[in-house]
Amino acid sequence: MGILSRTSYIIRSKVNSLLNRAEDPGETLDYSYEQLQDELQNVKQGIADLTTQKKRLEIQKRRLEENVEKHNEQARQAVEQDRDDLARRALEKKKQKMNQIEGLEQQIADLEKKQDGLIEQKNQLQQQIEEFRTRKETMKARYEAAEASARVNEAMTGAGEEMEDISRTIERAEEQTEEMEARASALDELRESGALDNAVSDQSDLDRELEQLSTDSAVDRELDTLKSEMGDGESEETTESTDSVDEPADGDMSLDDLEAEVAESEVDSELEELKEEDN
């Protein structure tokens, strides 16, 4: 089989498949019934035409029969007047008319035979049409019942196209819901860990580290000051009880204060260096 033959075969098979799916048995049966009705109407029209033609021939036959009687009367009159020649002519015309009548009678008989045959065909066709109409209505009712049952079963089992679309819609909705729930859970974890606040903040990591370092330095200085105050109090108590250690002069700095000042200056210098690097 050549390429063109195979292509033609495939196209015909596809078209036939499409036609089968598009074909409605109810519409096809109704169309066939209408075709039979048209055929029956054609048969009835043929019978009517034959009847009309036969009536015309019968009218022509009656006219010829009247002429035969007329010619017969003319022949009698001619004989009474001893005009054999006129009587012969009248009888000749009578004979011609009688021959025509015989021909018409044969034609009329043939038409009647055809008419009877058409009437018989018409009766048979009409009977077949009535039987076909009964079968048509029965088949249409069966098809409609089967179609309704199929639709119900498709709706119940979800096999129909609409149910398939609904199922796919539900699946997509479930997937989107699960995705949104996972996103919400992740955002909750980020918010609880503080990462979300850092992500939405306009501070850089370096700014946050410097701020934390400054906070730590302030806490360290306050702690050193607290220790110094507590140490001075203990020192005064010891001096009062022993009177062996001189009180420091006004304006003199303690060792703890000196260490705190040195630490603070070092932290400030480091902060300045970091800021310059950041800029």
Side-chain angles (χ1 to χ4, degrees), residues 10-272:
I10 293 173
I11 292 174
R12 289 198 305 270
S13 63
K14 294 293 184 181
V15 171
N16 185 56
S17 178
L18 292 174
L19 291 176
N20 289 334
R21 287 197 297 267
E23 182 179 2
D24 186 354
E27 294 179 355
T28 304
L29 290 172
D30 289 337
Y31 179 75
S32 298
Y33 180 74
E34 291 176 359
Q35 293 293 105
L36 290 175
Q37 288 285 5
D38 293 340
E39 188 66 24
L40 178 61
Q41 187 63 31
N42 292 333
V43 173
K44 290 181 178 180
Q45 185 64 41
I47 295 173
D49 293 339
L50 284 176
T51 303
T52 301
Q53 188 175 358
K54 188 184 73 170
K55 291 296 182 183
R56 290 175 179 173
L57 293 178
E58 290 175 348
I59 293 172
Q60 188 176 357
K61 177 186 173 184
R62 285 197 298 270
R63 290 177 179 175
L64 290 174
E65 289 174 347
E66 293 175 355
N67 289 330
V68 168
E69 292 296 332
K70 178 182 177 181
H71 294 318
N72 192 28
E73 182 64 27
Q74 289 175 348
R76 288 193 186 96
Q77 292 177 1
V79 171
E80 291 175 355
Q81 297 177 7
D82 296 331
R83 294 289 306 270
D84 293 341
D85 56 338
L86 295 177
R88 184 179 294 276
R89 289 173 58 187
L91 291 175
E92 289 176 354
K93 290 183 178 180
K94 174 184 175 182
K95 183 63 176 177
Q96 292 176 357
K97 297 298 189 293
M98 290 181 67
N99 291 335
Q100 292 179 4
I101 289 173
E102 290 179 0
L104 289 175
E105 288 177 349
Q106 184 63 39
Q107 293 180 16
I108 291 172
D110 293 340
L111 290 177
E112 287 179 351
K113 185 176 180 180
K114 291 181 180 179
Q115 183 180 14
D116 293 338
L118 286 177
I119 291 174
E120 182 66 21
Q121 291 180 4
K122 185 263 297 182
N123 293 334
Q124 293 179 359
L125 181 59
Q126 192 166 5
Q127 183 178 359
Q128 292 177 358
I129 290 174
E130 291 299 325
E131 294 176 356
F132 178 77
R133 185 180 68 84
T134 302
R135 293 185 60 188
K136 173 179 73 71
E137 296 300 328
T138 302
M139 293 175 65
K140 285 178 63 177
R142 289 176 55 192
Y143 178 79
E144 291 175 358
E147 186 179 20
S149 178
R151 286 197 301 266
V152 172
N153 291 331
E154 288 177 354
M156 294 296 293
T157 59
E161 295 182 357
E162 294 182 359
M163 295 303 298
E164 291 179 358
D165 294 338
I166 293 175
S167 298
R168 288 194 293 269
T169 302
I170 293 175
E171 291 177 359
R172 290 195 298 270
E174 289 179 350
E175 293 176 357
Q176 293 175 355
T177 301
E178 292 176 357
E179 182 179 356
M180 187 57 65
E181 289 175 349
R183 179 179 176 84
S185 177
L187 291 175
D188 289 338
E189 292 180 1
L190 291 174
R191 181 179 56 79
E192 292 176 358
S193 64
L196 183 61
D197 295 337
N198 293 336
V200 300
S201 176
D202 58 353
Q203 291 182 338
S204 63
D205 293 339
L206 181 58
D207 293 335
R208 288 191 293 271
E209 291 179 4
L210 290 175
E211 184 177 356
Q212 184 63 36
L213 183 60
S214 177
T215 301
D216 293 342
S217 298
V219 171
D220 291 339
R221 288 196 301 272
E222 186 175 357
L223 179 60
D224 291 340
T225 301
L226 181 59
K227 288 181 179 180
S228 177
E229 292 176 354
M230 293 179 65
D232 290 342
E234 292 177 356
S235 178
E236 290 177 357
E237 291 178 357
T238 304
T239 302
E240 290 176 356
S241 61
T242 58
D243 293 331
S244 61
V245 180
D246 295 335
E247 295 181 359
D250 294 338
D252 293 339
M253 296 179 63
S254 65
L255 180 60
D256 292 335
D257 292 337
L258 182 59
E259 291 178 353
E261 185 176 357
V262 172
E264 182 177 0
S265 62
E266 291 178 354
V267 170
D268 293 338
S269 298
E270 186 175 357
L271 289 175
E272 292 296 333

